[in-house]
Amino acid sequence: MNTKLHAVCDGEGRPVAMCLTAGQVSDHTGAKILYPVLPDGNGATMIADKGYDSDEYRAALHAKGIASCIPPRKGRKAPTSFCKTQYKQRHKIENMFGRLKDWRRIATRYDRRADIFMAAITIAAIVIWWIQ
């Protein structure tokens, strides 16, 4: 009954692409699902949390021409560097999740079926785009 919402947002914090996975599924699975909808390069930067930290994902982003700003996990043997100043922009996606949870139906997850829950999230995302 637990789910994770993976989302890609633009520079203004508006949702561009989203997918829903089971709660016990790794963040890497959500990243692989959303990878094809990422834009090609052109100065784009992926700012993600520690759950998306892997050499494979960084290499895939680099192959697509996207810079990565992902902090290394605590137990990583060979920590990678990231720009802490740029990482502060991650608050925009956290704010987007906060705006989605302004909708009581989403915050409390009234819907039992994942497809209906995702439909409610999609409607909320459309409203967020319309308001901003």
Side-chain angles (χ1 to χ4, degrees):
M1 293 306 298
N2 193 8
T3 56
K4 280 186 192 175
L5 178 66
H6 303 273
V8 175
C9 71
D10 63 1
E12 296 177 26
R14 298 177 299 194
V16 175
M18 297 178 293
C19 76
L20 204 60
T21 59
Q24 70 272 17
V25 174
S26 171
D27 288 340
H28 298 293
T29 304
K32 287 177 185 176
I33 294 169
L34 289 174
Y35 180 76
V37 299
L38 294 176
D40 290 332
N42 297 332
T45 302
M46 169 65 77
I47 302 174
D49 64 358
K50 293 179 182 185
Y52 295 93
D53 177 36
S54 74
D55 293 333
E56 178 187 352
Y57 190 56
R58 288 176 194 272
L61 290 173
H62 182 69
K64 205 164 191 175
I66 300 172
S68 64
C69 182
I70 305 170
R73 280 178 275 146
K74 189 176 180 180
R76 190 174 171 118
K77 292 180 181 176
T80 57
S81 62
F82 72 103
C83 179
K84 291 182 181 180
T85 306
Q86 193 174 34
Y87 187 71
K88 291 180 181 179
Q89 295 299 312
R90 200 172 92 70
H91 74 88
K92 292 179 182 179
I93 195 156
E94 294 298 334
N95 292 346
M96 188 254 331
F97 281 118
R99 277 189 229 102
L100 284 174
K101 290 190 177 188
D102 283 345
W103 293 57
R104 191 174 95 182
R105 177 183 202 121
I106 295 169
T108 57
R109 201 184 187 307
Y110 284 144
D111 303 309
R112 296 280 183 194
R113 291 179 38 190
D115 58 340
I116 296 173
F117 182 56
M118 189 63 190
I121 291 170
T122 303
I123 291 170
I126 291 168
V127 171
I128 289 171
W129 263 91
W130 182 59
I131 290 174
Q132 288 186 337

